[in-house]
Structures are given as structure tokens and as C-alpha cells.
Amino acid sequence: MYRKLRVKMTLFCTAVTGIILLFMTLAGLLAFKNLLDTNDRTSYEKDVDSVLAYLENEEVIDYEKISAAANPRFYTINLYENKICYSYDPEKEKQELMEEICRKAKEIYGFDVSALSAAKGISKLLEFSMKYKGTDHLVTFAAVPHQFGTFCTVISYSRETLKRQFLYLYVVFAVIDGAALLLLFLFSWVYTGKMLYPIEKNRAQQMQFVAAASHELRSPLAVMLSCLTAAQKAEPEEAARFTETIQTEGKRMSRLIDDMLQLAGADACSWDLMPAPVPPDTLLLETYEKYEYLAREKGLTLHIRLPEEECPPVLCDEERIAQVLSILMDNALSYTPAPGSITLSLSFTSGHVSLSVADNGPGIPDSSKKQVFQRFFRQDKAHTSKDHFGLGLSIAREIVRIHRGRLVLSDTPGGGATFTIILRTAPA
């Protein structure tokens, strides 16, 4: 499903961007064409003026000099007087071109080169453009006086060079657009992949979460149903024992559902925080007093280390951070064998306060350190305690995250695991 969505998003992004690129290319191409066309016409006008100036100043007309005045590859120049052509290009194709020009001038514009009246100075009589054998031509008819009369000068300019420039421009823009579309496709493919990866990963995690939650809920439910069936057939004394088991498993299921609801609230960003400046040493002392008796019952020693200097308060929801410390203490008490020890410690630096819970139990191997915060993960698969579902550290991490802090796992010197809550100090 995600692959199909990725392909569709990639094609859509490439298509939309490609259309925008196409419009920009056409606009740029049109601007370049207009610029080239303007430059070509300007150059043509200068060449025509040079040829006409030469004809006016020379007493003897030399056709080779006329050709030299303009590029002979692109210009055809004929002089007419009283129906006589005094100079012409020897190439047959250019002769045919000139005949076609004179015919169009007469048929379309009513201009006859043989009916030219005397002129006192150079004057341009007619200018137009035409297409001949697929190539555009610029044409100028001008009157050039000489000592015996007036020449009708016909100048034709082939725009073959401009045509080649346009073709080159089309090819260059097509290659650039093709390369740009390819890069856009590759970029869109990579970008959509990175954009969809968290969604795909989150969906996989949700499926794992649902599967694990279903498994965890099925166990107490099966026990409850089994005890209920047995209680219906048992004697009153035995039925009371089954009823007690049903209550125990019901409470266990209730705790699991509460944990799941907390995580669902974190995922939906619906947790309500009531942050206020809280002394971190007070948090640790209250946690120590809460768990000191329980630790002694389990044969564990609970220590607390506070700095001599006064610690700045942290801006947090006191109840939520106390919940995190309780989760860390519950884990430490469950996984630390007697006679072990657990240490609560506090330290601070400029702008941050660290609350740590360290035990000297079996510790957590490096291969599992990234997984301990995953939902329903248990490091000890053989751990049979029904009080832990593998959700505590996930809840703790989410609480610290919404406080914009960090929950860090490290090794305790000499063995064991240390969990450290890093929070920002309250502004002064």
C-alpha cells in the first residue's frame, strides 16, 4: 500500500512541478526568441544601410563589392532599371528567389520594380518578410539615384542562421527540461520515501502494539473465565478462592488498560500539563520516603544523594514527574536481586537538572538499550511478574518528552542500569 502511495505521490509531484517547469521554459524560450529576432533584424537594418550607402557613393557599381558589403551566404542583391537587371547572383536558386520576391511585391503590394520614378536621394520604398522553401526572408526595396537615373535596389536576407539558432535553443531547453524532470522524479521519490517512512513505521508499531495488547489482555481474561467456570461448580470455600483470583486478574487488566490509555493520550497529544516551578530535591525525597520501606522488605538498600548547593527549581508537572520516578523505582525494585542497592541522585548544571535512579542489578546489554523504551518490550523474557507489562518506560519517556526533556539510559559503574531524567530549570 505504501509503495503504491509513494509511486502516486512521486508521479504527482513530478507532474505538477513538470507543468510549472514547462510554462517557465516556454516563457523563457519566447523571451529568447524575441531577443534573437530583434537582434537579427537590427543587424539586417545595419547591413542594408551599408549597402545603400555604398551604392549612393560609388560612380561605378562593382557587384563583387556589393556582395562584400553584406554576407554573400545570406544576402541576395539585385539592381533594376527600366526592366533591366544590372547585377544579379549567378546562383540559379537565388535568381529564382529574386523572381519570386518581385512577383510577390507586384501581386501583394502592387509594387513594380520596372516602374520606378526618379529619386533625389536614397529612400526605402517597401519592406516585408516572406517564406521561401521553408526559410524566412527579409526583403527591402529601395531607390538609389545615380548620375544617369535611379536604381531599384532589391535586397533579400535569408534568416537561415536565426532558424538554426532557434533549433539549437529548442534542443538545449528540451535537454535541460528532460534532465530537470529526471532529477525532480528522483528527488520526489527520495523525498516521498522519507516522508512516508515515519508513517509506515508508526503503522507497523501500532500493529505490533495492538497484537501485544491483545495478547496481554487475553491472558488475564482467560484466567478470569476459567476461574468463573470453576467457581460455578466448586464448593463455597473453593469458590471464594476463585473469586479472589478473578479480582486480582481484573485489577491487573485494569492497570494494563490504564497504561494503554495513557499512551494513547500521549500519541494524541491530549495530555494536560500543569507546569510550575518545583524543587527537584523535594521530588527525590518524596520518592525516597515512598519506596524506602518497600526496598527494605525486598532486602534492598535505598540511598539518596543530594548536592550541597541549593538546586534551582525545574518547570514541570510535579505529579507527572513523580509518576516517572515511580516507574523507574518500580523497575529497579523488580529487577534488582537482594542484597542489592538503589541510589537516587540529583545534580544540576547551568540550565538543566538531572534526576537519576541507579541500581546494581544485572543491567541492560547494549543490544537492548534502544528497545527498552518500546512498548511491551521485556528484557528478561522469563520474568514472570504480572505487575509489569513492558509499558512503564514507554509512558515515562512520553512524559519526559512532553516536558521537552530527555530520559537517558546508561550503565551503572560496577554493574546495573541508570536512568536519568534531564529537565530544564525554571526561568528566574
Side-chain angles (χ1 to χ4, degrees), residues 234-282:
E235 297 294 331
E237 295 181 358
E238 292 183 355
R241 182 169 55 85
F242 289 132
T243 302
E244 183 180 351
T245 302
I246 291 173
Q247 290 177 344
T248 301
E249 293 299 318
K251 292 178 181 179
R252 177 170 176 256
M253 183 181 290
S254 177
R255 287 195 302 272
L256 175 58
I257 293 174
D258 287 342
D259 289 347
M260 292 169 60
L261 288 175
Q262 287 198 59
L263 288 173
D267 293 339
C269 301
S270 61
W271 274 354
D272 293 327
L273 293 182
M274 292 182 290
V278 177
D281 50 357
T282 301

Side-chain angles (χ1 to χ4, degrees), residues 268-327:
C269 301
S270 61
W271 274 354
D272 293 327
L273 293 182
M274 292 182 290
V278 177
D281 50 357
T282 301
L283 280 172
L284 277 192
L285 286 170
E286 289 177 351
T287 304
Y288 176 83
E289 291 174 359
K290 179 180 177 181
Y291 285 94
E292 195 273 335
Y293 176 75
L294 185 59
R296 192 165 61 249
E297 274 194 334
K298 289 178 172 288
L300 304 175
T301 304
L302 185 59
H303 303 279
I304 185 169
R305 295 176 182 173
L306 300 175
E308 295 181 0
E309 303 87 356
E310 183 179 358
C311 184
V314 292
L315 186 63
C316 67
D317 186 319
E318 183 175 1
E319 184 178 346
R320 291 292 186 183
I321 297 303
Q323 181 183 358
V324 175
L325 289 170
S326 295
I327 291 172

Side-chain angles (χ1 to χ4, degrees), residues 20-32:
I20 297 173
L21 179 64
L22 179 61
F23 277 109
M24 294 178 63
T25 299
L26 291 176
L29 190 60
L30 182 61
F32 273 112

Side-chain angles (χ1 to χ4, degrees), residues 365-402:
D366 294 338
S367 59
S368 300
K369 284 181 179 177
K370 291 183 178 180
Q371 298 174 308
V372 293
F373 296 105
Q374 294 179 2
R375 300 172 185 185
F376 292 108
F377 175 80
R378 290 191 181 95
Q379 164 60 28
D380 184 5
K381 302 297 183 181
H383 191 68
T384 57
S385 174
K386 294 185 177 182
D387 295 329
H388 293 269
F389 305 102
L391 295 178
L393 289 177
S394 299
I395 295 172
R397 184 183 61 174
E398 292 298 329
I399 293 174
V400 175
R401 181 184 62 82
I402 62 176

